[in-house]
Coordinates of all heavy atoms in Angstrom, one line a residue:
M943 N 0.9 -1.2 0.0 CA 0.0 0.0 0.0 C 0.9 1.2 0.0 O 1.7 1.4 0.9 CB -0.9 0.0 1.3 CG -1.8 1.2 1.4 SD -3.1 1.2 0.2 CE -4.0 -0.3 0.6
V944 N 0.7 2.1 -1.0 CA 1.5 3.3 -1.1 C 0.7 4.6 -1.0 O 1.3 5.6 -0.8 CB 2.4 3.3 -2.3 CG1 3.4 2.1 -2.3 CG2 1.6 3.3 -3.6
G945 N -0.6 4.5 -1.2 CA -1.3 5.7 -1.3 C -2.4 5.9 -0.3 O -3.6 5.6 -0.5
W946 N -2.0 6.4 0.9 CA -2.9 6.7 1.9 C -3.8 7.9 1.7 O -3.3 8.9 1.0 CB -2.2 6.8 3.3 CG -1.5 5.5 3.6 CD1 -0.2 5.2 3.4 CD2 -2.0 4.3 4.1 NE1 0.2 4.0 3.8 CE2 -1.0 3.4 4.3 CE3 -3.3 3.9 4.5 CZ2 -1.2 2.1 4.7 CZ3 -3.5 2.6 5.0 CH2 -2.4 1.7 5.1
L947 N -5.0 8.0 2.2 CA -5.9 9.1 2.0 C -5.3 10.4 2.6 O -5.6 11.5 2.1 CB -7.2 8.8 2.6 CG -8.2 8.0 1.8 CD1 -9.4 7.7 2.6 CD2 -8.5 8.7 0.5
N948 N -4.5 10.3 3.6 CA -4.0 11.5 4.2 C -2.8 12.1 3.5 O -2.4 13.2 3.8 CB -3.6 11.3 5.7 CG -2.5 10.3 5.8 OD1 -2.4 9.3 5.1 ND2 -1.7 10.5 6.8
Y949 N -2.4 11.5 2.5 CA -1.3 12.0 1.7 C -1.7 13.1 0.7 O -2.8 13.0 0.1 CB -0.6 10.9 0.8 CG 0.2 9.9 1.5 CD1 0.8 8.8 0.7 CD2 0.5 10.0 2.8 CE1 1.6 7.9 1.4 CE2 1.3 9.0 3.4 CZ 1.8 8.0 2.7 OH 2.6 7.0 3.3
S950 N -0.9 14.2 0.6 CA -1.2 15.1 -0.4 C -1.0 14.5 -1.8 O -0.4 13.4 -1.9 CB -0.3 16.3 -0.2 OG 1.0 15.9 -0.6
E951 N -1.5 15.1 -2.8 CA -1.2 14.6 -4.2 C 0.2 14.4 -4.5 O 0.6 13.4 -5.0 CB -2.0 15.4 -5.2 CG -3.4 15.3 -5.3 CD -4.1 16.1 -6.3 OE1 -3.4 16.5 -7.3 OE2 -5.3 16.2 -6.2
D952 N 1.0 15.4 -4.0 CA 2.5 15.3 -4.3 C 3.1 14.1 -3.5 O 3.9 13.4 -4.1 CB 3.2 16.6 -3.8 CG 2.9 17.7 -4.8 OD1 2.5 17.5 -5.9 OD2 3.1 18.9 -4.3
E953 N 2.6 13.8 -2.3 CA 3.2 12.7 -1.5 C 2.6 11.4 -2.2 O 3.4 10.5 -2.2 CB 2.6 12.8 -0.1 CG 3.3 13.9 0.7 CD 2.6 14.0 2.1 OE1 1.3 14.1 2.2 OE2 3.4 14.1 3.1
L954 N 1.4 11.4 -2.6 CA 0.9 10.2 -3.3 C 1.7 9.8 -4.5 O 2.1 8.7 -4.7 CB -0.6 10.5 -3.6 CG -1.3 9.4 -4.3 CD1 -1.4 8.1 -3.6 CD2 -2.7 9.9 -4.7
I955 N 1.9 10.8 -5.3 CA 2.7 10.6 -6.5 C 4.1 10.1 -6.2 O 4.6 9.2 -6.8 CB 2.7 11.9 -7.4 CG1 1.4 12.1 -8.0 CG2 3.8 11.8 -8.6 CD1 1.2 13.5 -8.6
S956 N 4.7 10.8 -5.2 CA 6.1 10.4 -4.8 C 6.1 8.9 -4.3 O 7.0 8.2 -4.7 CB 6.6 11.3 -3.7 OG 7.8 10.9 -3.2
Q957 N 5.2 8.5 -3.5 CA 5.2 7.2 -3.1 C 4.9 6.2 -4.2 O 5.6 5.1 -4.2 CB 4.0 7.0 -1.9 CG 4.4 7.7 -0.7 CD 5.6 7.1 0.0 OE1 5.8 5.9 0.1 NE2 6.4 8.0 0.5
C958 N 4.0 6.5 -5.1 CA 3.8 5.6 -6.2 C 5.0 5.4 -7.1 O 5.4 4.4 -7.5 CB 2.6 6.1 -7.0 SG 1.0 5.9 -6.1
R959 N 5.6 6.6 -7.4 CA 6.8 6.6 -8.2 C 8.0 5.7 -7.5 O 8.7 5.0 -8.2 CB 7.3 7.9 -8.5 CG 6.6 8.6 -9.6 CD 7.2 10.0 -9.9 NE 6.5 10.6 -11.0 CZ 6.4 11.9 -11.2 NH1 6.9 12.7 -10.2 NH2 5.7 12.4 -12.1
R960 N 8.1 5.9 -6.2 CA 9.1 5.2 -5.5 C 8.9 3.7 -5.6 O 9.8 2.9 -5.8 CB 9.1 5.6 -4.0 CG 10.2 4.9 -3.2 CD 10.4 5.4 -1.8 NE 10.6 6.9 -1.8 CZ 10.0 7.7 -1.0 NH1 9.1 7.3 -0.1 NH2 10.2 9.0 -1.1
A961 N 7.6 3.3 -5.5 CA 7.3 1.8 -5.6 C 7.7 1.3 -7.0 O 8.4 0.2 -7.1 CB 5.9 1.6 -5.3
I962 N 7.4 2.0 -8.0 CA 7.7 1.6 -9.4 C 9.2 1.6 -9.6 O 9.8 0.7 -10.2 CB 7.0 2.5 -10.4 CG1 5.4 2.3 -10.2 CG2 7.4 2.1 -11.8 CD1 4.9 0.9 -10.2
D963 N 9.9 2.6 -9.1 CA 11.4 2.7 -9.2 C 12.0 1.6 -8.5 O 13.1 1.2 -8.8 CB 11.9 4.0 -8.7 CG 11.5 5.2 -9.6 OD1 11.1 5.0 -10.7 OD2 11.6 6.4 -9.1
N964 N 11.4 1.0 -7.4 CA 11.9 -0.1 -6.7 C 11.5 -1.4 -7.3 O 11.8 -2.5 -6.6 CB 11.5 0.0 -5.2 CG 12.3 1.0 -4.5 OD1 13.5 1.3 -4.7 ND2 11.6 1.7 -3.6
G965 N 11.0 -1.4 -8.5 CA 10.7 -2.7 -9.2 C 9.3 -3.2 -9.2 O 9.0 -4.3 -9.7
Y966 N 8.4 -2.6 -8.4 CA 7.0 -3.0 -8.4 C 6.3 -2.7 -9.7 O 6.6 -1.7 -10.3 CB 6.3 -2.4 -7.3 CG 6.7 -2.9 -5.9 CD1 7.7 -2.3 -5.2 CD2 6.1 -4.0 -5.4 CE1 8.1 -2.7 -4.0 CE2 6.5 -4.5 -4.1 CZ 7.5 -3.8 -3.4 OH 8.0 -4.3 -2.2
C967 N 5.4 -3.6 -10.2 CA 4.7 -3.3 -11.4 C 3.2 -3.0 -11.1 O 2.4 -2.8 -12.0 CB 4.7 -4.6 -12.3 SG 4.0 -6.0 -11.5
A968 N 2.9 -2.7 -9.8 CA 1.6 -2.4 -9.4 C 1.6 -1.5 -8.1 O 2.6 -1.6 -7.3 CB 0.7 -3.6 -9.1
V969 N 0.7 -0.7 -7.9 CA 0.5 0.1 -6.7 C -1.0 0.0 -6.2 O -1.9 -0.1 -7.0 CB 0.9 1.6 -6.8 CG1 2.4 1.7 -7.2 CG2 0.1 2.3 -7.8
Q970 N -1.2 0.0 -4.9 CA -2.4 0.1 -4.4 C -2.6 1.4 -3.6 O -1.7 1.7 -2.8 CB -2.7 -1.1 -3.4 CG -4.1 -1.2 -2.8 CD -4.3 -2.5 -2.1 OE1 -3.4 -3.3 -1.9 NE2 -5.5 -2.6 -1.6
M971 N -3.7 2.0 -3.7 CA -4.0 3.3 -3.0 C -5.4 3.2 -2.4 O -6.2 2.5 -2.8 CB -3.9 4.5 -4.0 CG -4.9 4.4 -5.1 SD -4.8 5.9 -6.2 CE -5.6 7.2 -5.3
K972 N -5.5 4.0 -1.3 CA -6.8 4.1 -0.6 C -7.7 5.0 -1.3 O -7.2 6.0 -1.9 CB -6.5 4.6 0.8 CG -5.7 3.7 1.7 CD -6.5 2.6 2.1 CE -5.7 1.7 3.2 NZ -6.4 0.5 3.4
V973 N -9.0 4.7 -1.3 CA -10.0 5.5 -1.7 C -11.1 5.5 -0.6 O -10.9 4.8 0.4 CB -10.6 5.1 -3.1 CG1 -9.6 5.2 -4.2 CG2 -11.1 3.6 -2.9
G974 N -12.1 6.4 -0.8 CA -13.1 6.4 0.3 C -13.2 7.8 0.9 O -13.7 8.0 2.0
A975 N -12.8 8.8 0.1 CA -13.0 10.2 0.5 C -14.5 10.4 0.6 O -15.2 9.8 -0.1 CB -12.3 11.2 -0.5
P976 N -14.9 11.3 1.4 CA -16.3 11.7 1.5 C -16.9 12.1 0.2 O -18.1 11.9 0.0 CB -16.4 12.7 2.6 CG -15.2 12.7 3.4 CD -14.1 12.1 2.4
N977 N -16.1 12.6 -0.6 CA -16.6 13.2 -1.9 C -16.0 12.3 -3.0 O -14.7 12.2 -3.2 CB -16.1 14.6 -2.0 CG -16.5 15.3 -3.2 OD1 -16.5 14.8 -4.4 ND2 -16.9 16.6 -3.1
L978 N -16.8 11.7 -3.9 CA -16.3 10.9 -5.0 C -15.3 11.7 -5.9 O -14.4 11.2 -6.4 CB -17.5 10.4 -5.8 CG -17.2 9.7 -7.1 CD1 -16.3 8.5 -6.8 CD2 -18.4 9.2 -7.8
A979 N -15.6 13.0 -6.1 CA -14.8 13.8 -7.0 C -13.4 13.8 -6.5 O -12.4 13.8 -7.3 CB -15.3 15.2 -7.1
E980 N -13.2 13.8 -5.2 CA -11.8 13.8 -4.6 C -11.1 12.5 -5.0 O -9.9 12.5 -5.4 CB -11.9 14.0 -3.1 CG -10.4 14.1 -2.5 CD -10.5 14.3 -1.0 OE1 -11.5 14.8 -0.5 OE2 -9.5 14.1 -0.3
D981 N -11.8 11.4 -4.8 CA -11.2 10.1 -5.1 C -10.9 10.1 -6.6 O -9.7 9.6 -7.0 CB -12.2 8.9 -4.8 CG -12.2 8.5 -3.4 OD1 -11.2 8.8 -2.7 OD2 -13.1 7.8 -3.0
L982 N -11.7 10.5 -7.4 CA -11.5 10.5 -8.9 C -10.3 11.4 -9.3 O -9.5 11.0 -10.1 CB -12.7 11.0 -9.7 CG -14.0 10.0 -9.6 CD1 -15.1 10.7 -10.3 CD2 -13.6 8.7 -10.2
R983 N -10.1 12.5 -8.6 CA -9.0 13.4 -8.9 C -7.7 12.7 -8.6 O -6.7 12.7 -9.3 CB -9.1 14.7 -8.1 CG -8.1 15.7 -8.5 CD -8.1 17.0 -7.7 NE -7.5 16.7 -6.4 CZ -8.2 16.7 -5.2 NH1 -9.5 16.9 -5.2 NH2 -7.6 16.4 -4.1
R984 N -7.7 12.0 -7.4 CA -6.4 11.4 -6.9 C -6.1 10.2 -7.8 O -5.0 9.9 -8.2 CB -6.6 11.0 -5.5 CG -6.6 12.1 -4.5 CD -7.1 11.7 -3.1 NE -6.2 10.8 -2.5 CZ -5.0 11.1 -1.9 NH1 -4.6 12.3 -1.8 NH2 -4.3 10.1 -1.3
I985 N -7.1 9.4 -8.2 CA -6.9 8.2 -9.1 C -6.5 8.7 -10.4 O -5.5 8.2 -11.0 CB -8.3 7.5 -9.3 CG1 -8.6 6.8 -8.0 CG2 -8.1 6.4 -10.4 CD1 -10.1 6.3 -8.0
E986 N -7.0 9.8 -10.9 CA -6.6 10.3 -12.2 C -5.1 10.8 -12.2 O -4.3 10.5 -13.2 CB -7.4 11.5 -12.7 CG -7.1 12.1 -14.0 CD -8.1 13.1 -14.5 OE1 -8.7 13.8 -13.6 OE2 -8.1 13.3 -15.7
V987 N -4.7 11.5 -11.1 CA -3.3 11.9 -11.0 C -2.3 10.7 -11.0 O -1.3 10.8 -11.7 CB -3.2 12.8 -9.7 CG1 -1.7 13.0 -9.3 CG2 -3.9 14.1 -9.8
V988 N -2.7 9.7 -10.2 CA -1.8 8.5 -10.2 C -1.8 7.8 -11.5 O -0.7 7.5 -12.0 CB -2.3 7.6 -9.1 CG1 -1.5 6.2 -9.1 CG2 -2.1 8.2 -7.7
R989 N -2.9 7.6 -12.1 CA -3.0 6.9 -13.4 C -2.2 7.7 -14.5 O -1.4 7.2 -15.2 CB -4.4 6.7 -13.9 CG -4.6 6.2 -15.3 CD -3.8 4.9 -15.6 NE -4.4 3.8 -14.9 CZ -3.7 2.7 -14.5 NH1 -2.4 2.7 -14.7 NH2 -4.2 1.7 -13.8
N990 N -2.4 9.0 -14.5 CA -1.6 9.9 -15.5 C -0.1 9.9 -15.2 O 0.7 9.9 -16.1 CB -2.2 11.3 -15.5 CG -3.5 11.4 -16.1 OD1 -4.0 10.5 -16.9 ND2 -4.2 12.5 -15.8
T991 N 0.3 9.8 -14.0 CA 1.7 9.8 -13.6 C 2.3 8.4 -13.9 O 3.4 8.4 -14.5 CB 1.8 10.0 -12.1 OG1 1.3 11.4 -11.8 CG2 3.3 9.9 -11.7
L992 N 1.6 7.3 -13.6 CA 2.2 6.1 -13.8 C 2.0 5.5 -15.2 O 2.8 4.5 -15.6 CB 1.7 5.1 -12.8 CG 2.0 5.5 -11.3 CD1 1.3 4.4 -10.4 CD2 3.5 5.6 -11.1
G993 N 1.0 5.9 -15.9 CA 0.8 5.4 -17.3 C 0.0 4.1 -17.3 O -0.4 3.6 -16.2
P994 N -0.3 3.6 -18.4 CA -1.2 2.5 -18.5 C -0.6 1.1 -18.3 O -1.4 0.2 -18.1 CB -1.7 2.6 -20.0 CG -0.5 3.2 -20.7 CD 0.0 4.2 -19.7
N995 N 0.7 1.0 -18.2 CA 1.3 -0.2 -18.0 C 1.5 -0.7 -16.5 O 2.0 -1.7 -16.2 CB 2.6 -0.3 -18.7 CG 2.5 -0.2 -20.2 OD1 1.5 -0.7 -20.7 ND2 3.4 0.6 -20.8
V996 N 1.1 0.2 -15.6 CA 1.2 -0.1 -14.2 C -0.1 -0.4 -13.7 O -1.1 0.3 -13.9 CB 1.8 1.2 -13.4 CG1 1.7 0.9 -11.9 CG2 3.2 1.4 -13.8
R997 N -0.2 -1.5 -13.0 CA -1.6 -1.9 -12.4 C -1.9 -1.0 -11.2 O -1.0 -0.8 -10.3 CB -1.5 -3.4 -11.9 CG -1.5 -4.3 -13.1 CD -1.5 -5.8 -12.6 NE -1.6 -6.7 -13.8 CZ -1.3 -8.0 -13.7 NH1 -1.0 -8.5 -12.6 NH2 -1.5 -8.7 -14.8
L998 N -3.1 -0.5 -11.2 CA -3.5 0.3 -10.1 C -4.7 -0.4 -9.3 O -5.7 -0.7 -10.0 CB -4.0 1.7 -10.7 CG -4.5 2.7 -9.7 CD1 -3.5 3.0 -8.6 CD2 -4.9 4.0 -10.5
M999 N -4.5 -0.5 -8.1 CA -5.5 -1.2 -7.3 C -6.0 -0.2 -6.2 O -5.3 0.7 -5.8 CB -4.8 -2.4 -6.6 CG -4.3 -3.4 -7.5 SD -3.2 -4.6 -6.9 CE -1.7 -3.6 -6.5
L1000 N -7.3 -0.4 -5.8 CA -7.9 0.6 -4.9 C -8.4 -0.2 -3.7 O -9.0 -1.3 -3.8 CB -9.1 1.3 -5.6 CG -8.8 2.0 -6.9 CD1 -10.1 2.6 -7.5 CD2 -7.7 3.1 -6.8
D1001 N -8.4 0.4 -2.6 CA -8.9 -0.2 -1.3 C -9.6 0.9 -0.6 O -9.1 1.9 -0.2 CB -7.7 -0.7 -0.5 CG -8.1 -1.4 0.8 OD1 -9.3 -1.4 1.1 OD2 -7.2 -2.0 1.4
A1002 N -11.0 0.6 -0.3 CA -11.8 1.5 0.4 C -12.0 1.1 1.8 O -12.8 1.8 2.5 CB -13.2 1.6 -0.3
N1003 N -11.4 0.0 2.2 CA -11.6 -0.4 3.7 C -13.0 -0.6 4.1 O -13.3 -0.3 5.2 CB -10.9 0.5 4.6 CG -9.4 0.3 4.6 OD1 -8.9 -0.7 4.2 ND2 -8.7 1.2 5.2
K1004 N -13.8 -1.1 3.2 CA -15.3 -1.4 3.6 C -16.0 -0.3 4.1 O -17.0 -0.4 4.9 CB -15.3 -2.6 4.5 CG -14.7 -3.8 4.1 CD -14.7 -4.9 5.2 CE -13.8 -6.1 4.8 NZ -13.7 -7.0 5.9
I1005 N -15.7 0.9 3.7 CA -16.3 2.2 4.2 C -17.7 2.5 3.6 O -18.5 3.1 4.2 CB -15.4 3.4 4.0 CG1 -15.8 4.5 4.9 CG2 -15.2 3.8 2.6 CD1 -14.9 5.6 5.0
H1006 N -17.9 1.9 2.4 CA -19.1 2.2 1.7 C -20.2 1.2 1.8 O -19.9 0.0 1.9 CB -18.8 2.5 0.2 CG -17.9 3.5 -0.1 ND1 -18.1 4.9 0.3 CD2 -16.6 3.5 -0.6 CE1 -17.0 5.6 0.0 NE2 -16.1 4.8 -0.6
S1007 N -21.4 1.6 1.7 CA -22.5 0.6 1.4 C -22.3 -0.1 0.1 O -21.6 0.3 -0.7 CB -23.9 1.3 1.5 OG -24.0 2.1 0.3
V1008 N -23.0 -1.2 -0.1 CA -22.9 -1.9 -1.4 C -23.3 -1.0 -2.5 O -22.6 -0.9 -3.5 CB -23.8 -3.2 -1.4 CG1 -23.8 -3.8 -2.8 CG2 -23.3 -4.2 -0.4
D1009 N -24.4 -0.2 -2.4 CA -24.8 0.6 -3.5 C -23.8 1.7 -3.8 O -23.5 2.0 -5.0 CB -26.2 1.3 -3.1 CG -27.4 0.4 -3.2 OD1 -27.2 -0.7 -3.8 OD2 -28.4 0.7 -2.5
E1010 N -23.2 2.3 -2.7 CA -22.2 3.4 -3.0 C -20.9 2.7 -3.6 O -20.3 3.3 -4.4 CB -21.9 4.1 -1.7 CG -20.9 5.2 -1.8 CD -21.3 6.3 -2.7 OE1 -22.5 6.5 -3.0 OE2 -20.5 7.2 -3.1
A1011 N -20.5 1.6 -3.1 CA -19.4 0.9 -3.7 C -19.5 0.6 -5.2 O -18.6 0.8 -6.0 CB -19.1 -0.4 -2.9
V1012 N -20.7 0.2 -5.5 CA -21.0 -0.1 -7.0 C -21.0 1.2 -7.7 O -20.4 1.3 -8.8 CB -22.3 -0.9 -7.1 CG1 -22.8 -0.9 -8.6 CG2 -22.2 -2.2 -6.5
R1013 N -21.6 2.3 -7.2 CA -21.6 3.5 -7.9 C -20.2 4.0 -8.1 O -19.8 4.5 -9.2 CB -22.4 4.6 -7.1 CG -22.5 5.9 -7.7 CD -23.4 6.9 -6.8 NE -22.6 7.5 -5.8 CZ -21.9 8.7 -5.9 NH1 -22.0 9.3 -7.1 NH2 -21.3 9.2 -4.9
R1014 N -19.4 3.9 -7.1 CA -18.0 4.4 -7.2 C -17.2 3.5 -8.2 O -16.4 4.0 -9.0 CB -17.3 4.4 -5.9 CG -17.8 5.7 -5.1 CD -17.2 5.8 -3.7 NE -17.7 6.9 -3.0 CZ -17.0 7.9 -2.5 NH1 -15.7 7.9 -2.6 NH2 -17.6 8.9 -1.9
A1015 N -17.4 2.1 -8.1 CA -16.7 1.3 -9.0 C -17.0 1.7 -10.5 O -16.1 1.6 -11.3 CB -17.1 -0.2 -8.7
D1016 N -18.2 2.0 -10.8 CA -18.6 2.4 -12.1 C -17.9 3.6 -12.5 O -17.4 3.8 -13.6 CB -20.1 2.7 -12.2 CG -20.9 1.4 -12.2 OD1 -20.4 0.3 -12.5 OD2 -22.2 1.5 -11.9
A1017 N -17.7 4.6 -11.6 CA -17.0 5.8 -11.8 C -15.5 5.6 -12.1 O -14.8 6.4 -12.8 CB -17.2 6.8 -10.7
Y1018 N -14.9 4.5 -11.5 CA -13.5 4.2 -11.6 C -13.1 3.5 -12.9 O -11.9 3.5 -13.3 CB -13.1 3.4 -10.4 CG -13.2 3.9 -9.0 CD1 -13.4 3.1 -7.9 CD2 -13.3 5.3 -8.8 CE1 -13.6 3.6 -6.7 CE2 -13.5 5.8 -7.5 CZ -13.6 4.9 -6.4 OH -13.8 5.5 -5.2
V1019 N -14.1 3.0 -13.6 CA -13.8 2.2 -14.9 C -12.9 2.9 -15.8 O -12.0 2.3 -16.3 CB -15.2 1.8 -15.5 CG1 -14.9 1.3 -17.0 CG2 -15.9 0.8 -14.7
P1020 N -13.0 4.2 -16.1 CA -12.2 4.8 -17.1 C -10.7 4.8 -16.8 O -9.8 5.0 -17.6 CB -12.7 6.3 -17.2 CG -14.0 6.3 -16.7 CD -14.1 5.1 -15.7
Y1021 N -10.3 4.5 -15.5 CA -9.0 4.6 -15.1 C -8.3 3.2 -15.1 O -7.2 3.0 -14.6 CB -8.9 5.2 -13.6 CG -9.5 6.6 -13.7 CD1 -10.7 6.8 -13.2 CD2 -8.7 7.6 -14.3 CE1 -11.3 8.1 -13.3 CE2 -9.3 8.9 -14.3 CZ -10.6 9.1 -13.8 OH -11.2 10.4 -13.9
D1022 N -8.9 2.2 -15.7 CA -8.4 0.9 -15.8 C -7.8 0.3 -14.5 O -6.7 0.0 -14.3 CB -7.2 0.9 -16.9 CG -6.8 -0.5 -17.3 OD1 -7.6 -1.4 -17.2 OD2 -5.6 -0.6 -17.7
I1023 N -8.7 0.2 -13.6 CA -8.4 -0.3 -12.2 C -8.3 -1.8 -12.3 O -9.2 -2.5 -12.8 CB -9.5 0.2 -11.2 CG1 -9.6 1.7 -11.2 CG2 -9.2 -0.4 -9.8 CD1 -8.4 2.4 -10.9
Y1024 N -7.1 -2.3 -11.7 CA -7.0 -3.8 -11.7 C -7.9 -4.4 -10.7 O -8.4 -5.5 -11.0 CB -5.5 -4.0 -11.4 CG -5.1 -5.5 -11.5 CD1 -5.1 -6.1 -12.7 CD2 -4.7 -6.2 -10.4 CE1 -4.7 -7.5 -12.8 CE2 -4.4 -7.5 -10.4 CZ -4.4 -8.1 -11.7 OH -4.0 -9.5 -11.8
W1025 N -8.0 -3.9 -9.5 CA -9.0 -4.3 -8.6 C -9.4 -3.2 -7.6 O -8.7 -2.3 -7.4 CB -8.6 -5.6 -7.9 CG -7.8 -5.5 -6.6 CD1 -8.1 -4.7 -5.5 CD2 -6.6 -6.1 -6.3 NE1 -7.1 -4.9 -4.6 CE2 -6.2 -5.8 -5.0 CE3 -5.9 -7.1 -7.0 CZ2 -5.1 -6.3 -4.4 CZ3 -4.7 -7.6 -6.4 CH2 -4.4 -7.2 -5.1
Y1026 N -10.6 -3.4 -7.1 CA -11.2 -2.5 -6.1 C -11.8 -3.3 -5.0 O -12.6 -4.1 -5.2 CB -12.2 -1.6 -6.9 CG -13.2 -0.8 -6.0 CD1 -12.7 0.0 -5.0 CD2 -14.6 -0.8 -6.2 CE1 -13.6 0.8 -4.2 CE2 -15.4 0.0 -5.5 CZ -14.9 0.8 -4.5 OH -15.7 1.5 -3.8
E1027 N -11.2 -3.1 -3.8 CA -11.8 -3.8 -2.7 C -12.3 -2.9 -1.7 O -11.9 -1.8 -1.5 CB -10.7 -4.7 -2.1 CG -9.6 -4.0 -1.4 CD -8.6 -5.0 -0.8 OE1 -9.0 -5.8 0.1 OE2 -7.4 -5.0 -1.2

């Protein structure tokens, strides 16, 4: 796990880059901000930084109802998410 919710976007990018520079081919970041737009912005920043060849995984720590988790999963589709838990 490299992308905690309390990280600024700069910290998030730095941690993701560090993982890839250390040989990882995937990163997992936290989602579950109160506002879906905030999650989408952070996901977009990471995806744009790492490119399409890095697997991006999301973890919401069971914070959402089933309906909200499905709504968010649908919103995450354009970012080619490897998995969402």
Side-chain angles (χ1 to χ4, degrees):
M943 179 70 60
V944 298
W946 298 98
L947 277 175
N948 62 323
Y949 287 175
S950 69
E951 286 183 17
D952 288 341
E953 290 171 311
L954 177 61
I955 291 167
S956 175
Q957 290 295 318
C958 290
R959 281 187 177 147
R960 184 175 301 137
I962 299 307
D963 290 346
N964 284 325
Y966 290 91
C967 61
V969 296
Q970 184 174 1
M971 62 181 280
K972 295 287 185 186
V973 292
N977 182 320
L978 174 58
E980 182 179 343
D981 277 345
L982 293 174
R983 187 185 76 248
R984 293 167 61 82
I985 293 166
E986 182 176 26
V987 165
V988 170
R989 174 52 71 209
N990 289 342
T991 298
L992 299 179
N995 296 325
V996 173
R997 289 181 174 166
L998 179 55
M999 301 166 289
L1000 307 177
D1001 185 349
N1003 282 345
K1004 303 177 189 174
I1005 195 168
H1006 301 298
S1007 68
V1008 172
D1009 289 342
E1010 182 63 13
V1012 170
R1013 183 176 85 88
R1014 288 182 181 233
D1016 289 341
Y1018 301 153
V1019 168
Y1021 302 101
D1022 190 27
I1023 302 304
Y1024 187 67
W1025 87 53
Y1026 167 47
E1027 69 175 300

